[in-house]
């Protein structure tokens, strides 16, 4: 019965996904003169499970952004002084709106509308009535207003976006650069527009460039070592560039780059879009929700028997497998059908997380399950992308052994003592070292001994601290903090014990 329950638990995913990331919009106070962190007083102004993205400022005290409700995405207006969303600005049952911007010289907004029939165009919306009319017949991805009648936009061409200048007065447009990113901004204190050039080949570095709309002159501002889709200008002419849970500040005048802000990954996990208000006193950013948050949501909704809420935590092509990579099923339709049947056939089903490990975009939960009075034990390894669960790998107590933890602890003690003989004595002759899920990096005791003997000799300051440990059947899962001379490395190791020896280790980093 317990394995049947575990199989069904693997099957639940997000049936109601829209191919969009699960994101939130946060608002911060911005103070460039403070001696402490420049961003403070964080507020989640979307607070909505699903897609919330593309913020822009209507004025200093009002934020616009796209938000999903009832399977469509509309434009929401947030009044900062009132501390609440004041109104939905669009409601289009035949489509969804994205990338809202205030139109210069008007009290209306422009937004990209993606209709159910696939038509994608830029529209103008009357903020009082919600009525709309198309601005251009081009298939526009992103846009910025240069003035009240000239747009700089990305236009979808085959599998890329090209940069176009559109003159609404005479209906003309011209392509000025090929293969660009989504981030378009007017550069403060100038008549230039910035964009990201992705280059003409895969090996070419991306660059932040400027465009002079009057003569189409293009100059390079900054070459990006790592590809970045998003950036934003501060009123003083400095540039903010995000990277996961941190933001860097680049000064084009001096060429200097420095750290601007670091975030706790449980609050801000991975930053994408950003916007700054006209006075430079507030910053809005978009972040994927943290892996632990989405995993906890799927636990909570499962326990509430909220099927729709539970499946909304997963991607459409969710993969469920038995450790290390034996496929159980693929896709939410099977998941949904199995869980509907499971809820019909059970009266009470609960999951209690007794231990949790988070590393990168993965979360490992040790769980006690209770189904109609029957208790079970399992470990679930979740992989998260874009704020949604893409795969679950389940470990069940198939082989019960009494010595698994003792053997793993013995090898840990020998590791910290850098005692190569005692360390290797805990491993089987056919030991296999792997990267998750099943990539073999070393096979056999001879190869492993050579590697670790050299490592022990060259690393006098070596110590492994166990931050968390799970034991299930013949497997021991350790969350490890390893000090290697002057560096600290975090990893998870899954040890499999057979006949009193460690036969396989799988690492997650």
């Amino acid at each position: 019965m317990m394995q049947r329950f575990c199989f069904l638990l693997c099957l639940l995913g997000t049936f109601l996904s829209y191919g969009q990331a699960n994101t939130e919009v946060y608002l911060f106070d911005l103070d460039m003169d403070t001696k402490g962190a420049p961003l403070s007083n964080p507020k989640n102004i979307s607070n909505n499970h699903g897609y919330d993205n593309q913020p822009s400022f209507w004025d200093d005290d009002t934020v616009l952004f796209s938000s999903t409700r009832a399977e469509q995405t509309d434009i929401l207006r947030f009044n900062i002084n009132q501390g609440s969303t004041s109104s939905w600005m669009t409601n289009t049952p035949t489509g969804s709106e994205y990338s809202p911007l205030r139109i210069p010289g008007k009290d209306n907004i422009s937004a990209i509308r993606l209709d159910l029939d696939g038509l994608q165009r830029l529209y103008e919306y009357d903020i009082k009535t919600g009525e709309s009319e198309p601005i251009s017949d081009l298939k526009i991805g992103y846009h910025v207003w240069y003035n009240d009648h000239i747009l700089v936009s990305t236009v979808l061409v085959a599998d890329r976006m090209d940069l176009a200048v559109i003159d609404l007065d005479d209906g003309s447009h011209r392509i000025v650069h090929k293969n660009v990113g989504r981030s378009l901004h007017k550069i403060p204190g100038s008549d230039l527009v910035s964009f990201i050039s992705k280059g003409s080949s895969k090996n070419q570095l991306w660059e932040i460039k400027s465009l002079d709309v009057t003569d189409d002159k293009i100059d390079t501002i900054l070459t990006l070592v790592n590809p970045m889709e998003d950036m934003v200008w501060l009123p003083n002419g400095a540039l903010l560039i995000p990277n996961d849970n941190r933001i860097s500040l680049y000064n084009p005048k001096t060429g200097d780059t420095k750290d601007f802000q670091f975030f706790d990954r449980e609050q801000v996990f991975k930053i994408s879009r950003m916007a700054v208000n006209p006075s430079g006193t507030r910053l809005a950013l978009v972040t994927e929700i943290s892996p632990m948050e989405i995993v906890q949501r799927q636990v909570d909704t499962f326990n509430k028997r909220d099927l729709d809420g539970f499946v909304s935590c997963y991607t459409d092509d969710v993969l469920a497998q038995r450790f290390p990579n034996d496929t159980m099923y693929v896709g939410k339709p099977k998941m949904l059908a199995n869980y509907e049947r499971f809820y019909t056939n059970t009266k009470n089903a609960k999951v209690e997380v007794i231990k949790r490990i988070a590393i990168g975009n993965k979360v490992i939960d040790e769980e006690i399950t209770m189904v109609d009075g029957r208790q079970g034990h399992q470990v679930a390894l979740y992989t998260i992308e874009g704020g949604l669960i893409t795969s679950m790998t389940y470990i069940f107590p198939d082989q019960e052994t009494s010595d698994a933890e003792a053997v793993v602890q013995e090898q840990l003690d020998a590791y910290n003592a850098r005692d190569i003989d005692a360390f290797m004595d805990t491993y089987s002759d056919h030991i296999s070292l792997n990267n998750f899920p099943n990539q073999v990096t070393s096979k056999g005791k001879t190869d492993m001994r050579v590697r670790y003997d050299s490592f022990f000799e060259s690393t006098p300051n070596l110590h492994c601290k166990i931050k968390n440990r799970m034991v299930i059947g013949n497997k021991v899962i350790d969350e490890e903090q390893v000090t290697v001379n002057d560096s600290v490395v975090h990893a998870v190791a899954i040890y499999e014990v057979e006949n009193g020896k460690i036969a396989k280790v799988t690492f997650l980093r």
Side-chain angles (χ1 to χ4, degrees):
M1 172 64 188
M2 201 57 250
Q3 288 189 359
R4 176 176 176 273
F5 170 74
C6 295
F7 173 75
L8 288 170
L9 187 59
C10 299
L11 282 175
L12 244 175
T14 146
F15 194 72
L16 303 175
S17 159
Y18 315 101
Q20 298 170 317
N22 188 6
T23 49
E24 299 283 8
V25 180
Y26 276 81
L27 181 69
F28 295 83
D29 291 338
L30 171 61
D31 185 357
M32 295 298 297
D33 296 326
T34 182
K35 294 182 180 179
L39 299 180
S40 62
N41 195 24
K43 297 184 182 70
N44 183 340
I45 63 173
S46 53
N47 197 25
N48 171 54
H49 178 65
Y51 182 81
D52 302 280
N53 213 323
Q54 300 157 336
S56 68
F57 282 88
W58 171 270
D59 55 28
D60 275 340
D61 302 316
T62 310
V63 184
L64 313 177
F65 59 93
S66 299
S67 183
T68 296
R69 56 170 177 166
E71 300 187 48
Q72 74 180 48
T73 303
D74 294 313
I75 305 304
L76 197 59
R77 177 170 54 189
F78 182 88
N79 187 305
I80 298 172
N81 293 330
Q82 293 180 3
S84 64
T85 50
S86 55
S87 64
W88 291 95
M89 303 184 73
T90 64
N91 182 12
T92 310
T94 59
S96 292
E97 282 89 14
Y98 303 91
S99 301
L101 292 176
R102 185 173 188 171
I103 300 175
K106 292 186 178 181
D107 284 336
N108 289 346
I109 65 168
S110 57
I112 308 297
R113 181 192 297 173
L114 177 59
D115 290 331
L116 296 177
D117 61 5
L119 181 65
Q120 181 172 321
R121 290 192 295 181
L122 182 66
Y123 281 78
E124 177 177 342
Y125 293 83
D126 186 309
I127 65 169
K128 295 180 179 178
T129 66
E131 295 180 356
S132 63
E133 60 179 3
I135 293 175
S136 171
D137 290 331
L138 295 173
K139 194 172 185 178
I140 293 175
Y142 302 91
H143 70 295
V144 64
W145 289 94
Y146 178 75
N147 57 32
D148 60 2
H149 68 281
I150 293 180
L151 284 163
V152 178
S153 305
T154 64
V155 177
L156 279 66
V157 179
D159 59 348
R160 68 172 194 268
M161 292 191 299
D162 291 345
L163 192 67
V165 177
I166 303 170
D167 191 324
L168 300 180
D169 281 351
D170 61 18
S172 66
H173 77 275
R174 62 187 187 275
I175 301 297
V176 296
H177 199 82
K178 293 182 178 180
N179 197 21
V180 301
R182 66 192 179 204
S183 192
L184 305 175
H185 300 278
K186 291 196 69 175
I187 300 177
S190 76
D191 292 326
L192 305 176
V193 172
S194 69
F195 66 96
I196 294 176
S197 171
K198 296 184 176 183
S200 56
S201 67
K202 291 183 179 180
N203 297 326
Q204 188 171 345
L205 292 175
W206 293 14
E207 295 177 316
I208 300 175
K209 292 180 175 290
S210 65
L211 168 68
D212 189 331
V213 174
T214 61
D215 59 9
D216 294 348
K217 182 183 178 184
I218 293 175
D219 291 315
T220 298
I221 298 172
L222 176 66
T223 299
L224 298 170
V225 177
N226 299 310
M228 297 293 174
E229 279 278 7
D230 301 293
M231 45 158 280
V232 71
W233 294 93
L234 294 174
N236 64 4
L239 191 59
L240 298 183
I241 304 173
N243 184 9
D244 286 338
N245 65 325
R246 64 182 64 186
I247 301 175
S248 297
L249 184 144
Y250 173 72
N251 186 337
K253 295 178 181 179
T254 63
D256 295 332
T257 301
K258 65 178 182 180
D259 293 329
F260 182 76
Q261 188 100 10
F262 288 85
F263 294 98
D264 182 341
R265 291 181 72 88
E266 280 307 294
Q267 179 190 46
V268 175
F269 179 73
K270 187 175 184 179
I271 304 167
S272 53
R273 306 299 294 271
M274 298 186 296
V276 175
N277 71 345
S279 296
T281 58
R282 293 186 171 108
L283 180 140
L285 62 79
V286 176
T287 176
E288 292 179 11
I289 70 169
S290 74
M292 284 203 289
E293 182 177 342
I294 192 65
V295 169
Q296 186 58 47
R297 175 181 168 82
Q298 64 89 35
V299 171
D300 294 340
T301 49
F302 173 83
N303 287 339
K304 294 176 183 177
R305 302 174 77 90
D306 175 4
L307 184 57
D308 289 341
F310 187 81
V311 298
S312 72
C313 299
Y314 296 82
T315 58
D316 287 332
D317 58 351
V318 58
L319 167 67
Q321 55 190 359
R322 191 182 286 263
F323 181 84
N325 60 340
D326 294 332
T327 299
M328 301 171 68
Y329 81 94
V330 178
K332 289 188 295 183
K334 289 183 180 180
M335 175 184 289
L336 183 66
N338 276 277
Y339 266 89
E340 285 178 333
R341 190 160 56 247
F342 173 74
Y343 280 136
T344 299
N345 295 331
T346 61
K347 294 181 179 179
N348 295 291
K350 296 289 184 182
V351 172
E352 178 187 358
V353 178
I354 56 176
K355 289 183 181 179
R356 173 170 285 166
I357 297 170
I359 181 166
N361 69 328
K362 292 179 173 57
V363 174
I364 305 171
D365 278 357
E366 182 178 4
E367 303 169 344
I368 297 296
T369 59
M370 186 69 68
V371 181
D372 290 341
R374 296 183 177 88
Q375 182 172 298
H377 182 207
Q378 66 188 30
V379 168
L381 193 164
Y382 302 93
T383 300
I384 296 90
E385 298 288 348
L388 295 171
I389 301 168
T390 61
S391 70
M392 304 88 69
T393 301
Y394 285 84
I395 303 174
F396 306 127
D398 296 327
Q399 300 180 42
E400 292 291 350
T401 61
S402 59
D403 59 352
E405 184 175 11
V407 172
V408 171
Q409 184 61 43
E410 184 181 344
Q411 70 86 36
L412 174 66
D413 294 339
Y415 179 93
N416 284 335
R418 294 186 296 129
D419 184 339
I420 189 65
D421 292 327
F423 179 72
M424 293 307 305
D425 190 53
T426 63
Y427 289 91
S428 73
D429 290 339
H430 304 290
I431 176 64
S432 175
L433 303 182
N434 304 263
N435 289 330
F436 179 81
N438 207 24
Q439 178 191 11
V440 179
T441 60
S442 176
K443 191 76 173 179
K445 213 168 183 178
T446 302
D447 181 38
M448 181 178 176
R449 184 184 184 97
V450 170
R451 292 172 59 180
Y452 276 88
D453 193 16
S454 174
F455 179 57
F456 286 170
E457 286 292 330
S458 63
T459 317
N461 183 16
L462 176 66
H463 184 77
C464 178
K465 177 182 178 182
I466 303 303
K467 299 184 66 178
N468 210 335
R469 172 172 284 173
M470 303 174 183
V471 181
I472 181 165
N474 71 323
K475 298 178 180 65
V476 178
I477 304 168
D478 278 353
E479 180 184 8
E480 302 175 345
Q481 179 177 300
V482 184
T483 301
V484 182
N485 294 331
D486 296 326
S487 300
V488 176
V489 179
H490 297 271
V492 171
I494 303 175
Y495 299 91
E496 300 180 52
V497 177
E498 296 178 2
N499 301 318
K501 300 287 185 179
I502 300 170
K504 183 179 178 181
V505 187
T506 302
F507 294 101
L508 294 87
R509 297 180 175 87

